[in-house]
Amino acid sequence: MAWLGLYNYWIVIFLMMAGFYVVIVRGNVVKKIVGLNLFQTAVFILYISMSKVQGGTAPIVEPEFVVYSNPLPHVLILTAIVVAVATTALALALTVRIKESYGTVEEDEIHRLDKSF
Amino acid sequence: MEHLIVIVLLSFLAITAVAVVMLHDLFAVVMLFGIYSLLTAAIFLVLDAVDVAFTEAAVGAGISTVLMLATLALTARKEKTSLRFAPIPLLVVTITGAALVYGTLDMPRYGDPTAAIHQHVAPDYLQRGPRETGIPNVVTSVLASYRGYDTLGEVTVIFTAGVGVMMLLGSSRRGTKRTRGKR
């Protein structure tokens, strides 16, 4: 059952690759942003999985507890979640501007209008 | 037992992710993404990351979903392209995933207290944090005190993003007529 200890990481990789696939294959810009968010959330789960200590509790110090989970990844991911939302908001604002200028948010139609491909 | 709960929640998460990838109705995708964020928050809670859990529930499941719904209202609700089988991206994704799985094989197992990550500064923070800052929650003391400059940097990023959003959407409202006239 030793492989079960790696299950978290494997699901994280699956989610990451699902997000990556959406970013590569799908042409809709909103869908691409959702894919990027899938990828980001997978990274969050990777960090938090590593911070867990068997038999530990949340890192709020009380005299009756001895074992705590690692607080450092929690701090990093708190910052990362907020930054992720900020970048998502910026990406969505760009999407709205693209819609206003081109009348579409599909990548191939935008390329056709631009004659870039 | 605790790990069993995590395994079940992670499996739900994988199923939700597959649904997000397959669906074409963007409204359904955004709603499923809200569920996905909420499941993530539940996993964080079981993994002892309580502060991260409520941030993810409020920000990930709440604000992100609202922002995406607002964008959908201004753009299109349905995705136009049909689901075509794309062998090359699938191959790229599979190879990358396989390489990453190979990389996990010598990682510390779930909950291993002897892992390298738990040996360096973390015990130090846990011991000194409450004594030096007077806050029992170690995450808060590291975030606001020991790594206060990081949090200042985070605020800078949010401010920059906010200014960017305002410049993109604010000026477009005024200049829409002019741009359309030119075309």
Side-chain angles (χ1 to χ4, degrees):
Chain A
M1 291 299 268
W3 62 270
L4 213 59
L6 295 174
Y7 187 77
N8 287 36
Y9 304 133
W10 292 345
I11 291 286
V12 162
I13 290 166
F14 178 78
L15 298 175
M16 246 181 215
M17 290 307 114
F20 189 27
Y21 182 76
V22 170
V23 173
I24 299 176
V25 170
R26 292 307 183 83
N28 188 293
V29 178
V30 179
K31 189 78 184 247
K32 270 185 202 287
I33 294 169
V34 172
L36 279 176
N37 269 308
L38 279 182
F39 199 105
Q40 277 176 326
T41 319
V43 176
F44 302 160
I45 299 171
L46 173 72
Y47 269 67
I48 300 296
S49 294
M50 287 195 283
S51 78
K52 173 74 183 163
V53 177
Q54 200 71 54
T57 181
I60 300 169
V61 175
E62 278 289 318
E64 54 193 294
F65 298 113
V66 185
V67 185
Y68 298 102
S69 287
N70 194 332
L72 217 50
H74 300 183
V75 177
L76 298 176
I77 296 311
L78 266 183
T79 308
I81 288 176
V82 179
V83 169
V85 166
T87 48
T88 305
L90 195 64
L92 292 171
L94 276 169
T95 310
V96 172
R97 283 292 289 127
I98 289 171
K99 172 76 177 178
E100 279 178 0
S101 298
Y102 290 89
T104 177
V105 287
E106 302 288 332
E107 207 181 40
D108 44 349
E109 291 175 12
I110 294 167
H111 285 318
R112 216 175 300 135
L113 284 168
D114 267 352
K115 298 184 176 65
S116 60
F117 273 92
Chain B
M1 189 61 207
E2 215 175 58
H3 195 197
L4 196 70
I5 300 171
V6 176
I7 287 172
V8 170
L9 285 174
L10 281 169
S11 307
F12 281 159
L13 207 59
I15 296 166
T16 319
V18 170
V20 166
V21 174
M22 301 305 270
L23 281 175
H24 281 278
D25 189 346
L26 289 172
F27 184 75
V29 166
V30 171
M31 281 299 134
L32 272 174
F33 190 71
I35 294 172
Y36 177 92
S37 291
L38 210 58
L39 278 170
T40 316
I43 290 169
F44 290 161
L45 191 67
V46 182
L47 290 175
D48 294 341
V50 281
D51 305 75
V52 186
F54 65 68
T55 310
E56 175 70 29
V59 172
I63 298 175
S64 281
T65 311
V66 170
L67 286 174
M68 282 182 187
L69 283 178
T71 312
L72 285 192
L74 291 170
T75 56
R77 216 191 117 160
K78 291 256 179 189
E79 210 178 352
K80 269 181 198 157
T81 39
S82 59
L83 187 68
R84 55 189 191 279
F85 182 67
I88 294 172
L90 204 62
L91 190 73
V92 169
V93 165
T94 314
I95 291 172
T96 319
L100 287 173
V101 167
Y102 176 69
T104 61
L105 292 181
D106 52 0
M107 276 183 76
R109 299 300 188 267
Y110 171 83
D112 184 4
T114 58
I117 182 175
H118 304 309
Q119 308 304 324
H120 189 46
V121 287
D124 210 37
Y125 279 136
L126 279 166
Q127 257 183 1
R128 281 169 34 206
R131 190 157 33 86
E132 287 181 352
T133 59
I135 305 165
N137 189 341
V138 183
V139 175
T140 312
S141 68
V142 175
L143 189 79
S145 179
Y146 295 110
R147 298 211 167 200
Y149 280 117
D150 285 7
T151 309
L152 183 67
E154 175 196 346
V155 173
T156 315
V157 171
I158 298 163
F159 176 73
T160 315
V163 169
V165 170
M166 266 155 47
M167 283 171 77
L168 280 168
L169 296 183
S171 66
S172 74
R173 293 281 168 275
R174 279 200 307 275
T176 314
K177 267 184 190 153
R178 227 183 316 138
T179 337
R180 286 223 180 112
K182 259 186 215 163
R183 271 176 167 254

